[in-house]
């Protein structure tokens, strides 16, 4: 029999991960779904957030708590993370500072990188752009993997428990609620944007770039804006993810993470702002189901690959059989119903 | 014509695609409020000229002046904002947007900034009013909420026009607005364009094969052949020009 507290812990943990994926897929929907720019560097912008938390939380915490640092970062970050967390347990304000500073650093960095990454989009066709962005994403990961002072290279980095001042399960619950709050904010931003005149411009560029330019749209600026917003959102998700996991490892941010998010948006329905919450739910449900099921699967290879194979098959099936996704895109209406009613009734 | 009432001037514009010379030192002037017609056999460079004029293509040499300003280096969106608006020969609508949204995109002033999120609902409503006026004129108001991809070929042509008109252009570049449209509707479109020109003083540069319909509305005609202007003048003079007959019919 499973204890109630274990079920609660499972749900809370899943809720946090769900929130993080909603932020990521909202940012993917904005850039890929609405603007049609294959942002296959999403994992890198996600990583920027996580790396900011990994690089800063322990160092900042140690400085704030007056703990003198000894030894190499890669060998000692987990140890100091524990020490700083113990200090945070007595000082919630310190936890808040350690949480907010990586956010304040990561978001502008990701926004800047996003704007930079939007420039190849001017010269490259969609498929070449996708390849370029994948390469960009891998560069970010490989640099972090080899430059140990950043987040400890292959050792990874410990991350401070910013909610250490709460007792379990309140601690986990606080993490979930914080993530959920950010997720709701990110999704609301996406939803409002997609129904604003800006959303109309995004879709126009996606539908026909030349026509959009001929009708007054500065396509380069639209792309820069969308990539700035999308990348900033992904960085927020990355910071939350690092604090949720409690450590950061560069190899956690491979291109396959990008494609999980592409999967969510595709399954949910590209071009429909409902796709992020829907797609993230489908993905997590499936992922957890596979986690349970794979114990019972007699496969002649490492059973962990079953999930990859299944998700790959799902993506292919959707692209072939149901490319519009579970919630198909609808022609958008940026004006409220009364506005059009007034005019149409006179016709 | 004096230079005062000249709205648009393309001077010695050349454009090649590899070895193919599409435009060879073409000079075309469009006076304020005039309907200038450009004709020529298929492949004579008419569409290329319009695309150079609106900025979709860059000329290899030559200069483009609009309202006394050199616009040669300006990208398409900047020329649109000055009032140079083009329609496409094969409609290039935004297929997933509704008919209304297609028109609104051309009418809206805030374009790139997400800050338009905060733009007033009132502003959008005014745009909707204006959009419906134009849609009504072109009998598209009944299909306002349909996605553009669901329209018939003729309706797509009309939506191209609606989009161009709602942006309140100073110079309209029209690339065969009558092609593929039935004769009755083609006549109506031409009447309509003529009316817009009279009432709003919009200058037009019209590329068209349907001379039977278009010629009588034109003030001045240019004839293009192999990327060169081989004849120009009043409609009457141009159709009498033996060079023009030769270009169309051969030796």
């Amino acid at each position: 029999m499973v204890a109630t507290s274990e079920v609660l812990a499972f749900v809370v943990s899943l809720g946090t991960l769900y929130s993080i994926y909603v932020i990521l897929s909202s940012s993917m929907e904005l850039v890929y779904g609405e603007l049609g720019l294959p942002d296959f560097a999403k994992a890198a912008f996600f990583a920027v957030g996580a790396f900011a938390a990994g690089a800063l939380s322990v160092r900042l915490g140690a400085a704030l708590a007056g703990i003198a640092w000894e030894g190499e970062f890669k060998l000692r970050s987990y140890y100091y993370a524990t020490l700083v967390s113990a200090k945070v347990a007595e000082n919630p304000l310190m936890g808040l500072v350690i949480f907010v500073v990586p956010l304040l650093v990561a978001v502008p960095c990701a926004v800047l990188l996003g704007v930079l990454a939007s420039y190849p989009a001017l010269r490259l066709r969609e498929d070449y752009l996708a390849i370029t962005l994948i390469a960009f994403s891998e560069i970010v990961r490989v640099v972090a993997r080899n430059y140990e002072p950043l987040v400890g290279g292959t050792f990874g980095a410990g991350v401070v428990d910013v909610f250490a001042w709460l007792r379990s399960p309140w601690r986990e619950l606080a993490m979930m609620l914080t993530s959920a709050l950010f997720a709701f904010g990110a999704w609301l931003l996406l939803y409002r944007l997609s129904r604003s005149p800006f959303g109309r411009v995004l879709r126009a560029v996606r539908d026909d770039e030349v026509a959009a330019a001929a009708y007054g749209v500065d396509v380069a600026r639209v792309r820069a804006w969308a990539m700035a917003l999308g990348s900033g959102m992904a960085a927020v998700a990355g910071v939350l993810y690092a604090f949720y996991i409690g450590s950061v490892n560069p190899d956690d941010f491979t291109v396959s993470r990008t494609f999980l998010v592409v999967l969510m948006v595709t399954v949910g329905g590209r071009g429909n702002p409902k796709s992020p919450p829907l797609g993230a739910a489908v993905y997590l449900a499936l992922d957890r189901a596979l986690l349970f099921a794979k114990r019972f699967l007699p496969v002649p290879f490492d059973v962990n690959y079953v999930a990859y194979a299944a998700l790959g098959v799902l993506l292919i099936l959707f692209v072939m059989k149901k490319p519009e996704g579970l919630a198909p895109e609808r022609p958008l209406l940026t004006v409220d119903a009364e506005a059009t009613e007034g005019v149409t009734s006179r016709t | 014509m004096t230079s005062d009432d000249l709205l648009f001037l393309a001077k010695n514009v050349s454009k090649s695609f590899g070895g193919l010379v599409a435009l060879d030192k073409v000079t075309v002037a469009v006076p304020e409020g005039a309907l200038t017609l450009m004709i020529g056999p298929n492949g004579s460079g008419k569409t290329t000229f319009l695309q150079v004029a609106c900025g979709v293509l860059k000329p290899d040499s030559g200069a483009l002046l609009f309202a006394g300003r050199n616009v040669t280096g300006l990208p398409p969106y900047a020329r649109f904002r000055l009032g140079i608006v083009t329609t496409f020969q094969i409609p290039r609508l935004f297929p997933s947007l509704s008919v209304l949204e297609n028109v609104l995109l051309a009418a809206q002033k805030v374009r790139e900034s997400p800050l338009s999120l905060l733009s007033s609902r009132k502003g959008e409503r005014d745009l909707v009013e204006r959009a419906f006026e134009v849609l009504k004129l072109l009998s598209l108001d009944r299909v306002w909420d349909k996605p553009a991809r669901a329209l018939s070929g003729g309706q797509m042509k009309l939506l191209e026009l609606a989009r161009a008109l709602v942006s309140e252009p100073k110079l309209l570049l029209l690339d065969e607005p009558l092609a593929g449209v039935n004769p009755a509707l083609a006549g109506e479109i031409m009447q309509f364009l003529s009316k817009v020109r009279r009432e709003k003083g919009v200058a037009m540069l019209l590329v068209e094969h349907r001379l039977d319909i278009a010629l009588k509305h034109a003030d001045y005609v240019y004839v293009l052949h192999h990327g060169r202007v081989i004849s120009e003048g009043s409609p009457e003079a141009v159709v009498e020009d033996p060079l023009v007959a030769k270009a169309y019919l051969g030796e």
Side-chain angles (χ1 to χ4, degrees):
Chain A
M1 202 50 223
V2 189
T4 325
S5 64
E6 278 179 44
V7 174
L8 186 72
F10 176 77
V11 170
V12 166
S13 170
L14 205 59
T16 312
L17 202 56
Y18 176 69
S19 303
I20 290 166
Y21 277 130
V22 166
I23 303 175
L24 270 181
S25 50
S26 292
S27 89
M28 186 62 96
E29 163 61 20
L30 181 72
V31 179
Y32 186 48
E34 311 264 325
L35 179 61
L37 194 149
D39 181 10
F40 289 174
K42 193 58 81 192
F45 301 116
F46 184 48
V48 167
F51 293 166
L56 293 174
S57 79
V58 179
R59 289 184 173 110
L60 180 69
L64 286 175
I67 302 170
W69 192 285
E70 277 171 34
E72 267 187 277
F73 180 80
K74 67 170 177 180
L75 299 174
R76 305 287 281 166
S77 74
Y78 289 92
Y79 168 71
Y80 285 109
T82 318
L83 286 190
V84 174
S85 297
K87 293 279 184 187
V88 170
E90 297 150 19
N91 189 352
L93 192 66
M94 197 164 105
L96 184 70
V97 172
I98 295 173
F99 176 72
V100 171
V101 170
L103 268 181
L104 293 180
V105 172
V107 172
C109 284
V111 165
L112 201 71
L113 276 176
V115 171
L116 283 178
S118 79
Y119 275 89
L122 295 176
R123 304 235 168 263
L124 297 177
R125 257 183 30 215
E126 190 174 351
D127 36 5
Y128 291 108
L129 175 65
I131 295 167
T132 308
L133 288 174
I134 289 175
F136 171 76
S137 177
E138 280 296 272
I139 289 169
V140 169
R141 181 180 69 88
V142 171
V143 166
R145 193 176 198 270
N146 290 289
Y147 182 66
E148 287 165 344
L150 183 67
V151 285
T154 47
F155 288 79
V159 173
V160 176
D161 182 356
V162 289
F163 293 111
W165 43 279
L166 286 167
R167 266 182 308 169
S168 194
W170 303 112
R171 193 160 59 198
E172 289 78 13
L173 202 63
M175 185 69 225
M176 186 192 88
L177 289 177
T178 309
S179 306
L181 206 66
F182 277 100
F184 182 68
W187 181 77
L188 198 67
L189 180 68
L190 164 74
Y191 186 81
R192 291 288 305 275
L193 278 179
S194 107
R195 270 149 188 276
S196 74
F198 181 66
R200 180 157 67 219
V201 170
L202 291 180
R203 283 155 204 254
V205 171
R206 180 194 63 188
D207 279 7
D208 192 328
E209 204 180 296
V210 173
Y215 278 88
V217 177
D218 184 347
V219 174
R221 277 190 66 194
V222 171
R223 287 199 169 125
W225 267 114
M227 281 297 280
L229 286 171
S231 305
M233 278 158 79
V236 171
V239 171
L240 291 168
Y241 184 72
F243 283 118
Y244 162 69
I245 298 287
S247 67
V248 173
N249 194 316
D251 286 339
D252 203 9
F253 303 94
T254 56
V255 176
S256 72
R257 172 126 3 227
T258 295
F259 285 103
L260 287 182
V261 186
V262 172
L263 173 83
M264 290 175 214
V265 171
T266 307
V267 168
R270 270 178 70 185
N272 189 324
K274 284 180 194 141
S275 70
L278 197 62
V282 170
Y283 162 70
L284 271 184
L286 204 76
D287 185 64
R288 293 297 125 139
L290 286 167
L291 209 62
F292 285 117
K294 71 184 175 187
R295 277 188 291 173
F296 311 108
L297 288 176
V299 286
F301 49 83
D302 185 346
V303 75
N304 285 305
Y305 292 127
V306 171
Y308 286 108
L311 293 170
V313 168
L314 183 74
L315 182 58
I316 291 168
L317 278 180
F318 260 88
V319 169
M320 284 174 62
K321 301 284 176 195
K322 206 171 163 50
E324 73 278 13
L326 296 174
E329 178 178 349
R330 289 186 301 179
L332 83 164
L333 208 58
T334 51
V335 279
D336 33 11
E338 315 102 74
T340 46
E341 234 166 59
V343 199
T344 45
S345 59
R346 270 183 270 137
T347 63
Chain B
M1 108 195 49
T2 66
S3 59
D4 298 338
D5 58 5
L6 199 62
L7 180 66
F8 177 76
L9 176 66
K11 221 170 160 181
N12 290 327
V13 169
S14 295
K15 175 77 189 171
S16 308
F17 299 102
L20 179 82
V21 181
L23 295 174
D24 186 7
K25 294 194 175 139
V26 172
T27 296
V28 167
V30 181
E32 298 263 9
L35 200 158
T36 306
L37 181 65
M38 183 180 266
I39 58 173
N42 289 327
S44 58
K46 304 182 299 292
T47 294
T48 304
F49 181 79
L50 286 196
Q51 297 204 330
V52 167
C54 78
V56 170
L57 292 177
K58 283 190 170 61
D60 299 333
S61 63
L64 300 160
L65 301 170
F66 179 73
R69 192 178 155 180
N70 189 339
V71 296
T72 319
L74 290 186
Y77 70 86
R79 294 192 203 183
F80 173 88
R81 290 173 194 187
L82 289 177
I84 305 178
V85 177
T86 192
T87 67
F88 295 94
Q89 185 178 2
I90 299 157
R92 295 189 80 148
L93 304 169
F94 306 116
S96 66
L97 295 184
S98 68
V99 168
L100 176 65
E101 298 286 339
N102 264 276
V103 176
L104 287 177
L105 182 98
Q108 78 186 64
K109 289 284 173 275
V110 194
R111 293 187 183 89
E112 288 89 23
S113 162
L115 298 178
S116 67
L117 179 65
L118 308 169
S119 77
S120 74
R121 292 262 154 183
K122 168 88 173 58
E124 276 280 296
R125 276 176 204 210
D126 292 345
L127 288 189
V128 170
E129 291 264 346
R130 252 177 63 204
F132 265 98
E133 273 172 33
V134 175
L135 287 176
K136 229 176 284 180
L137 285 174
L138 292 163
S139 329
L140 285 169
D141 51 323
R142 259 172 257 281
V143 291
W144 69 274
D145 55 348
K146 271 199 191 171
R149 74 166 83 83
L151 298 183
S152 72
Q155 285 174 323
M156 285 187 183
K157 282 271 182 189
L158 291 174
L159 184 51
E160 273 277 341
L161 270 183
R163 210 167 52 166
L165 290 173
V166 82
S167 59
E168 297 183 337
K170 294 194 177 76
L171 172 67
L172 249 183
L173 307 168
L174 299 158
D175 199 352
E176 299 199 28
L178 309 182
V181 175
N182 73 60
L185 183 58
E188 272 177 47
I189 292 178
M190 207 55 233
Q191 293 285 349
F192 177 72
L193 287 175
S194 216
K195 198 176 121 204
V196 169
R197 177 171 72 106
R198 273 199 315 278
E199 290 175 1
K200 304 205 166 163
V202 180
M204 298 182 187
L205 178 58
L206 174 68
V207 163
E208 192 49 68
H209 279 300
R210 305 274 287 269
L211 298 188
D212 51 328
I213 303 170
L215 206 58
K216 58 176 176 281
H217 295 280
D219 298 310
Y220 199 81
V221 183
Y222 288 89
V223 186
L224 244 64
H225 187 45
H226 292 320
R228 287 210 183 100
V229 176
I230 56 161
S231 178
E232 60 178 286
S234 68
E236 298 79 24
V238 162
V239 287
E240 297 297 324
D241 190 336
L243 271 176
V244 176
K246 210 166 90 181
Y248 271 96
L249 304 171
E251 296 291 335

